[in-house]
Amino acid sequence: MVVYCFDNDKSTETLIKSVIPANEMQNVEFHFNDKISAIHSAPGSDTIAFIDTRIHGKRQNGFSLAMLLREKLKDCHIVFMSLYPEDMALCFKNLIRPSGFLLKPLSKSEVSAIYYAVDAHIKRHNRSRTFVISTHDYKRCIELDKIAYFSTSSKKLFCRLNNNERIEFYGTITDLEKKFGDDFTRCHSGFLVNKQYIKAVRRNEMELLDCTETIPISKRYKPLIMDNFEIV
């Protein structure tokens, strides 16, 4: 999990950290008052951000910051905090889609409750976004976000990860397309590509992030690709 805290009060950071179990702390990436510009765009489904509605003393600053964060991390969980009860109405009237509102001074029990609720949601989401590869020798569970593409050759499937590792297993591209069609796109009879890795689409091929090779686009799938991605 990634946790962001945007607040003028340093004690808020200490309180949030205190509700995270010690045995999970090593798996939590914590940031305090980072610059939004330094955050890389990503799905953000494993991220929770605690934001003071009036950070830097201005009522709209917290909401503006939340909107910018939502653009960067579209699925992140945003929790607003405020000394002013009237700010709650504004939090839920806009398009930020917050996961909660905490009234200051913060209560450790309330912070803990909302943290565990979001943590449970993230864990359920992550379990549903994994792919288990089974061979005669082993079983391996892989996060979908780490898979750049699937390819097929000689009745075998290959899973290409973002660290250049390639895993061989048996199955069909068609079955994978039915299972992961929301996150992956078919561009060729032998390739199923993770949409979040598509860097550039050209007439007959596409470039992927963290990948040196190019992926072919066949005539059959070209109309689908052209309808969903901008050709450069």
Side-chain angles (χ1 to χ4, degrees), residues 58 80 93 102 126 131 134 138 172 182-183 197 212-213 229 231:
K58 295 182 179 180
F80 283 114
K93 276 186 177 179
L102 294 169
N126 287 345
F131 176 58
S134 299
Y138 70 99
T172 69
D182 291 338
D183 299 288
Y197 281 89
T212 54
E213 68 252 56
F229 301 96
I231 307 294

Side-chain angles (χ1 to χ4, degrees), residues 32-190:
F32 183 71
N33 285 349
D34 278 20
K35 290 184 177 180
I36 295 293
S37 59
I39 299 173
H40 297 291
S41 297
S45 53
D46 63 346
T47 300
I48 178 171
F50 293 86
I51 301 177
D52 190 324
T53 59
R54 305 199 186 194
I55 191 168
H56 307 312
K58 295 182 179 180
R59 188 174 187 180
Q60 292 302 321
N61 275 4
F63 300 114
S64 298
L65 189 150
M67 288 295 286
L68 290 171
L69 188 67
R70 175 68 74 206
E71 290 176 9
K72 288 277 188 176
L73 306 172
K74 64 178 182 177
D75 296 323
C76 70
H77 303 268
I78 292 174
V79 178
F80 283 114
M81 308 174 292
S82 181
L83 273 168
Y84 308 93
E86 61 267 28
D87 285 359
M88 182 187 292
L90 289 174
C91 293
F92 294 94
K93 276 186 177 179
N94 49 50
L95 300 176
I96 297 173
R97 308 188 315 280
S99 297
F101 178 88
L102 294 169
L103 190 61
K104 290 185 172 184
L106 297 179
S107 157
K108 184 174 180 177
S109 61
E110 291 179 348
V111 173
S112 179
I114 205 160
Y115 174 84
Y116 277 99
V118 172
D119 182 54
H121 181 276
I122 289 172
K123 286 175 179 174
R124 287 194 302 271
H125 179 267
N126 287 345
R127 282 196 295 270
S128 69
R129 290 187 55 76
T130 57
F131 176 58
V132 178
I133 292 179
S134 299
T135 70
H136 294 299
D137 302 317
Y138 70 99
K139 276 190 175 183
R140 182 170 173 183
C141 185
I142 302 171
E143 296 175 23
L144 289 185
D145 289 344
K146 293 182 179 178
I147 300 174
Y149 66 82
F150 293 102
S151 62
T152 183
S153 178
S154 301
K155 298 183 180 180
K156 290 183 180 179
L157 283 173
F158 298 91
C159 175
R160 164 68 159 71
L161 303 185
N162 58 1
N163 63 356
N164 289 320
E165 182 181 359
R166 196 169 77 149
I167 305 169
E168 180 182 311
F169 63 106
Y170 287 97
T172 69
I173 285 281
T174 300
D175 286 343
L176 292 175
E177 184 181 16
K178 290 177 182 177
K179 190 172 184 178
F180 304 127
D182 291 338
D183 299 288
F184 287 71
T185 187
R186 192 81 173 264
C187 62
H188 188 279
S189 59

Side-chain angles (χ1 to χ4, degrees), residues 200-207 217 222 225 230-232:
V201 176
R202 308 191 188 285
R203 290 183 178 277
N204 298 307
E205 63 182 20
M206 60 173 62
E207 295 179 23
I217 299 173
K222 192 170 183 178
I225 298 300
E230 183 178 351
I231 307 294
V232 297

